[in-house]
Amino acid sequence: MARTKDPAAQARISHAVWEVLGEHGPQGLTLRAVADRAGCTTGLVLHRFPDKRALLLHARDLLHDRTAARTAQLEASADTPRLALRAVLRQALSLTEETRQEARVWLGYLAAALDDDVLAERHRAGHAVFVARTRRLVAEIRPELSADEVAATASVVVGFIEGVSTLSTADDDHYDATAQLAALDRLLLVLGLDETSGA
């Protein structure tokens, strides 16, 4: 794919893709909207992104890069697997303006992927990283569980986190930061994954 040689223009266009998808969803993510936000011509956007799918894939890759780096750092700095799991899950909730924007990008991308196999495959690849990290931490925390039990527990945890984060994008009154954190703490307690459960 051809790219513009101006790094500043590349950065503006990349940022515009992220913002437009987060603010307006997949319906509003057009080459014209990205060009307007980036302050450039549609032709310049086309040098890097030939179509809407390319815009969406770029947004998904940005999301993966942002969250993967953050979760890796959080896990590495945690003193115990239990603290690591809570930190990793907490950062996936919609607690700040930054993570609310990430949730909106994720939701917008997922909506577009419903009828696009290429988008869906990219989503599955990125999602698998989060699932694998969660499974590994659950296994470290609850070594008595079988592999199937670990997988089922991780599925509950991931489904909960992504569900709450998604709900908060449209209903912040019921799913504000305090409610999200309280629900996370309750989930970890019930599943025996919090700091008070076990050694």
Side-chain angles (χ1 to χ4, degrees):
M1 179 185 304
R3 291 177 181 268
T4 173
K5 296 179 180 180
D6 181 353
Q10 290 186 40
R12 288 197 310 273
I13 293 170
S14 182
H15 187 64
V17 172
W18 178 265
E19 287 195 331
V20 172
L21 179 57
E23 293 173 13
H24 302 293
Q27 299 86 353
L29 184 65
T30 65
L31 294 169
R32 168 53 60 192
V34 170
D36 288 347
R37 182 62 63 92
C40 66
T41 65
T42 303
L44 191 59
V45 177
L46 279 167
H47 275 296
R48 187 169 186 194
F49 303 108
D51 53 29
K52 185 169 184 172
R53 176 190 278 169
L55 294 173
L56 286 160
L57 289 171
H58 180 66
R60 186 64 177 85
D61 289 344
L62 287 175
L63 178 63
H64 176 77
D65 291 345
R66 289 168 66 130
T67 57
R70 192 167 64 224
T71 54
Q73 191 279 327
L74 287 168
E75 183 179 353
S77 63
D79 292 333
T80 68
R82 293 175 188 271
L83 287 174
L85 180 63
R86 187 178 191 280
V88 166
L89 298 178
R90 187 182 188 280
Q91 66 80 38
L93 293 172
S94 301
L95 304 178
T96 67
E97 187 58 38
E98 177 185 10
T99 52
R100 279 192 292 272
Q101 180 79 348
E102 289 172 355
R104 290 178 64 86
V105 168
W106 182 87
L107 185 59
Y109 181 91
L110 193 60
L114 291 176
D115 63 352
D116 187 312
D117 290 341
V118 173
L119 298 180
E121 179 55 36
R122 185 70 60 87
H123 166 71
R124 287 191 291 268
H127 182 69
V129 175
F130 184 42
V131 172
R133 187 186 300 275
T134 303
R135 284 185 180 180
R136 177 168 46 75
L137 288 170
V138 168
E140 291 178 19
I141 296 168
R142 299 287 305 277
E144 77 280 8
L145 297 181
S146 68
D148 286 345
E149 289 171 329
V150 167
T153 301
S155 293
V156 170
V157 171
V158 170
F160 166 88
I161 289 295
E162 295 187 345
V164 168
S165 184
T166 297
L167 288 168
S168 73
T169 65
D171 188 2
D172 192 48
D173 289 339
H174 289 98
Y175 296 95
D176 62 9
T178 300
Q180 290 178 67
L181 289 173
L184 172 60
D185 287 342
R186 181 64 182 171
L187 177 74
L188 294 177
L189 176 64
V190 169
L191 295 177
L193 299 170
D194 73 325
E195 279 298 295
T196 66
S197 303

